[in-house]
Amino acid sequence: SSDLTISSRLSWVSYMWNIAGNVSSAVVNLTQIPMVVFPMLAGKYGYANAMKVLSDAYSTYKGGGFDDNRQFFPDYTFGKNAKLTPGHKRLYEAAIDQAAIRRGVGYELSEMRRTTAEDFTGRWAKVETLLGWTFQNSERMNREVTLLAAYDLAIQNGASEDQAINEALDLTVRAHSHALSEAGPKKIGRAHV
């Protein structure tokens, strides 16, 4: 509908004006782990366990490398860490399949605006990618650290690998959600009146 087009375009303008290229926005975004994710994990698994596993998750993330998601300014990811365990490799693949880590605010806003091949590959697309890279990667780090920590805690508490992957994906989506309601899950069922 035209309302979605207008709202997505206005959201994109707001993103480009206030967030893209603004390092302070990325720094503020990094508070999401201690303020949102840590309490969620600590409430379920205990403070000491959550703190230890989050620290390990940051280390795994830092040991990664650049993704193959695009040629120009690719994102950084734990998925390129040569020392990943088989479980972490499967977790990463599941997260990619479920679009749990590559989709952030800038990505969703830019994708909804793009309609032609030039919009994806042209000069302006590269400028957009460059300006949004720092914020996109702060979001991606948040998602990937959350994913790793939730998975590891579930495994440590006796979950099967499939259960741990599902728990990690669920927590990542709940903690970091979607940038736009248009990009998130659709409501299923009828409203009760």
Side-chain angles (χ1 to χ4, degrees):
S1 99
S2 63
D3 292 338
L4 295 178
T5 302
I6 291 169
S7 72
S8 65
R9 287 182 188 274
L10 290 174
S11 295
W12 177 82
V13 168
S14 177
Y15 168 76
M16 291 304 291
W17 186 263
N18 296 301
I19 296 176
N22 184 345
V23 174
S24 65
S25 296
V27 172
V28 169
N29 195 38
L30 296 178
T31 64
Q32 196 161 1
I33 297 282
M35 294 179 71
V36 176
V37 176
F38 176 71
M40 293 171 89
L41 293 173
K44 185 171 184 177
Y45 298 107
Y47 289 98
N49 291 336
M51 186 70 73
K52 167 78 171 87
V53 171
L54 278 168
S55 176
D56 293 345
Y58 277 114
S59 293
T60 301
Y61 175 82
K62 285 186 227 172
F66 290 101
D67 198 353
D68 55 8
N69 61 327
R70 62 182 170 263
Q71 289 180 332
F72 185 76
F73 271 86
D75 292 337
Y76 195 84
T77 180
F78 83 86
K80 300 301 177 183
N81 187 328
K83 297 178 183 175
L84 285 182
T85 66
H88 283 166
K89 286 179 186 175
R90 286 188 285 280
L91 173 66
Y92 178 76
E93 290 165 8
I96 293 296
D97 288 345
Q98 297 292 320
I101 56 178
R102 284 186 175 162
R103 298 186 67 89
V105 171
Y107 178 88
E108 287 179 357
L109 292 171
S110 295
E111 292 299 304
M112 291 189 82
R113 184 193 65 80
R114 295 175 176 172
T115 57
T116 68
E118 179 69 14
D119 290 339
F120 288 92
T121 60
R123 186 175 300 151
W124 182 245
K126 290 178 180 176
V127 169
E128 234 178 327
T129 299
L130 176 63
L131 288 174
W133 191 88
T134 302
F135 188 80
Q136 162 69 17
N137 279 271
S138 70
E139 278 193 297
R140 184 142 181 194
M141 183 183 74
N142 284 343
R143 290 169 185 259
E144 292 193 16
V145 167
T146 300
L147 193 72
L148 286 161
Y151 173 86
D152 288 346
L153 283 166
I155 290 290
Q156 288 175 12
N157 282 273
S160 71
E161 188 174 284
D162 286 341
Q163 289 170 327
I165 288 172
N166 288 333
E167 280 187 41
L169 289 169
D170 179 61
L171 180 68
T172 301
V173 170
R174 283 189 298 121
H176 305 292
S177 196
H178 293 278
L180 300 171
S181 58
E182 295 97 325
K186 305 292 182 235
K187 185 175 180 181
I188 298 173
R190 297 182 321 161
H192 296 286
V193 185

